[in-house]
Amino acid sequence: MTYTKILGTGRYLPENTISNNDLKQFVDTNDEWIFTRTGIKQRHISTGETTLDLAYQASLKAIKAANIKASEIDIIIVATVTSDYAFPGVANLLQAKLGISNIMAFDINAACSGFLYAMQIADKMIKSKAYHKALIVGAETLSRLTDWRDRNTCVLFGDGAGAMIIGTSNYNHIKDIITGSKGDEEMLLYCKNPDLKSIEENLVSPQDHIHMNGKEVFKFATRMMPKTLNELLERNNHEISDLNYIVAHQANSRIIQKAAKDLNIDMDKMYINIDQYGNTSAASVPIAIDEAIEKGYIKKGNLFATVAFGGGLTWASALIEY
Ligand SMILES: CC(C)(COP(=O)(O)OP(=O)(O)OC[C@H]1O[C@@H](n2cnc3c(N)ncnc32)[C@H](O)[C@@H]1OP(=O)(O)O)[C@@H](O)C(=O)NCCC(=O)NCCS
């Protein structure tokens, strides 16, 4: 039987930060409102670095932490909603930048659940024995889709990237991954692509911004996080108390607090870094896992769960013994 494990992780954030007070220049807001409603203090916003650049820097760190050569990677999956080009994908350009040839590389879009979707695909491909070492990345420059005049959304998002190498193992470390989706017919969270073109006019369409029904997304998130985690634990015969740690998607600290309350788990076991980064969509989970490992919240042999939700609407969770 082929099993899988995490071989190494890495993260990269653009240097430039924008504080809550800085946002007052653009919208009618204040630090107190943003922090009490979301837990956010600042976000990193790229000034010229592309999604590829962020993905590349995070990948170099993950490759180093895994102590492997880039040439050992045989599949690359990048989860993103902010690919620099409609095509080629970030994964393809990342492959070239890392100097790896002739392997499978592609992007996926499952919004903020994207990294765990990528993990599930890579995990299953390795377990099928067709592949051996996967580079999975969540990378976003959400600032390019942000409406800087909409205070309901612009205060929430940030740029960043997280990467992970997963590979074969004799022991069952990556135990289970759940992914799910419910088509967002009500358009609670969306960003439209360029309009269909009229052949006669052949106009260049402007890029749309992120639109969100915050209250409904909040309800969805607080319902789905405990639900998917409970399902994950139940089908693996574990109790919540067996978990040493939980790394949740960082969308709002109040969402994480509500989930912790409903799961009856102490907030000490829930990772929080939203104060520093805001919501970085697909990058949020791998950035948080990398930091939780670095800070010693997740140690070798610990059982941890990770959980995400997002546009789509999508959700995902994974049970991992580090
Ligand atoms: C967005 C969110 C923080 C808003 O919090 P909320 O408590 O629901 O706040 P409301 O939308 O009810 O807004 C309350 C008031 O604050 C105002 N407000 C909104 N944004 C503001 C801001 N940045 N600064 C100051 N006031 C703001 C609203 O206009 C509203 O004013 P009104 O009552 O005069 O109309 C919250 O709904 C949320 O986090 N939703 C989930 C978002 C999410 O997770 N998205 C990503 C999914 S991956």
Side-chain angles (χ1 to χ4, degrees), residues 119-263:
M119 186 188 278
Q120 189 179 50
I121 296 165
D123 182 66
K124 294 285 179 282
M125 284 176 139
I126 294 171
K127 282 176 176 154
S128 79
K129 298 187 176 33
Y131 298 89
H132 308 284
K133 284 191 180 72
L135 166 61
I136 50 175
V137 184
E140 304 284 10
T141 46
L142 284 178
S143 57
R144 70 170 88 201
L145 300 182
T146 303
D147 181 350
W148 293 106
R149 281 168 303 276
D150 176 11
R151 68 176 184 174
N152 292 294
T153 53
C154 78
V155 302
L156 302 175
F157 301 105
D159 300 336
M164 184 182 280
I165 307 285
I166 66 172
T168 50
S169 163
N170 295 327
Y171 181 78
N172 186 17
H173 285 273
I174 301 179
K175 297 185 185 301
D176 195 10
I177 305 174
I178 289 178
T179 47
S181 165
K182 174 186 179 296
D184 184 8
E185 287 168 306
E186 295 162 82
M187 303 305 270
L188 299 181
L189 184 54
Y190 72 93
C191 180
K192 202 171 166 298
N193 266 337
D195 289 336
L196 294 172
K197 275 192 178 201
S198 126
I199 299 174
E200 291 75 25
E201 289 178 282
N202 197 30
L203 296 177
V204 176
S205 302
Q207 173 66 55
D208 191 18
H209 303 298
I210 296 169
H211 303 266
M212 185 180 69
N213 180 334
K215 278 200 193 317
E216 289 306 315
V217 174
F218 193 96
K219 281 190 219 158
F220 162 73
T222 48
R223 190 173 66 245
M224 280 320 292
M225 286 225 312
K227 188 169 183 287
T228 184
L229 275 177
N230 279 328
E231 187 186 335
L232 184 74
L233 290 168
E234 210 172 294
R235 77 185 200 182
N236 289 280
N237 299 315
H238 277 291
E239 305 284 327
I240 190 83
S241 54
D242 296 338
L243 293 177
N244 296 101
Y245 212 64
I246 298 180
V247 178
H249 169 48
Q250 307 284 311
N252 185 325
S253 57
R254 285 194 296 137
I255 293 176
I256 297 175
Q257 280 157 7
K258 173 87 172 62
K261 191 164 169 258
D262 292 349
L263 288 161

Side-chain angles (χ1 to χ4, degrees), residues 300-319:
K300 288 276 175 215
N302 278 178
L303 187 69
F304 77 97
T306 173
V307 58
F309 59 88
L313 299 166
T314 55
W315 58 89
S317 60
L319 185 68

Side-chain angles (χ1 to χ4, degrees), residues 48-60 63 70 76 84 89-101 105 135:
E49 286 174 300
T50 61
T51 301
L52 172 64
D53 294 329
L54 308 188
Y56 176 64
Q57 295 299 336
S59 299
L60 288 181
I63 291 166
I76 300 177
D84 300 311
V90 178
N92 308 100
L93 297 173
L94 179 61
Q95 164 188 17
K97 214 163 163 151
L98 290 169
I100 313 171
S101 48
L135 166 61

